Amino acid sequence: MARAASGLRFLPRPRADKAQAKDADQQERRPLPLPLRLLATLCAFVFMVAFAVVLARLTLNPSPASEALTHTNLHPGRSLKAYLDQPALRDAVKQVGGNILLGVPFGVLVPVVAPRTRGLLRVLLLTAVVMLLVEFAQGALVTGRAFDIDDVILNSSGALIGYLLLGRRMSRAVHARKARRTRT
């Protein structure tokens, strides 16, 4: 009552009509022009192949010198604790940061290359499966390497970061979103 007496009035905001709302919604969902979409998808594919080569070189190279130091880790957190207990912080940062960085390209490139994998859970699941396969290959086939579940967790965390920071936006720019049906 005091506000009404002072001359201030609260009026309801005008609502935009349905046609304006629909136009704004369609503009929001509009992807890049076709030539740019094709170029972006091709570039993402090339980067994904290059990333796969780098990933294979980093993770599947034998290391006979460290064979005695490697051990399989099936307990989440065990390797992380070992990294953080090391006296040299630099080694821990290299291990943890390197594994996170290995996952970031998945979160950025996978939704662009394969639009059906868009979505946080799909990107995380695909990254976890690929990284599990890499870890299995390391443990079974490569001398001086072992399976480590913490690496899979850190790689998947990196994919999550990449998806949230850039992958979701890039995917939306390259691929059209399906229009939702609204009830009238």
Side-chain angles (χ1 to χ4, degrees), residues 122-143:
R122 289 179 182 174
V123 169
L124 282 175
L125 182 64
L126 181 63
T127 303
V129 167
V130 168
M131 294 306 173
L132 275 169
L133 292 173
V134 168
E135 289 295 322
F136 283 135
Q138 278 184 339
L141 304 174
V142 183
T143 304

Side-chain angles (χ1 to χ4, degrees), residues 55-72:
L55 179 67
R57 286 188 178 210
L58 288 174
T59 60
L60 299 177
N61 277 336
S63 179
S66 62
E67 187 173 354
L69 302 173
T70 59
H71 61 281
T72 299

